[in-house]
Amino acid sequence: MIYCCEEHVNEGLEEALSDEGLPPEFERISMGESTLEKCFICHSEADYKITPMSP
């Protein structure tokens, strides 16, 4: 699972893509949901959760 901020969502999707796998699923973390997860690039609070999919 990859967490990322609004600014780095495209990079997160690229990171989760695999050559032989299905497209990754991603969802916006709700504003009211408190998360300790940080963006994998800039370490700011995560806005998205990206789940790589296996073939």
Side-chain angles (χ1 to χ4, degrees):
M1 202 163 314
I2 298 170
Y3 291 91
C4 57
C5 66
E6 183 79 37
E7 184 176 339
H8 295 115
V9 70
N10 289 332
E11 289 87 344
L13 289 169
E14 287 176 19
E15 184 76 17
L17 283 173
S18 81
D19 291 336
E20 297 156 6
L22 300 169
E25 290 184 353
F26 73 104
E27 63 182 276
R28 186 161 180 83
I29 297 171
S30 23
M31 295 290 220
E33 184 181 334
S34 114
T35 180
L36 300 176
E37 303 300 337
K38 304 293 181 192
C39 175
F40 79 110
I41 293 178
C42 68
H43 305 288
S44 64
E45 187 174 344
D47 294 313
Y48 290 92
K49 175 172 65 171
I50 302 172
T51 307
M53 301 303 286
S54 304

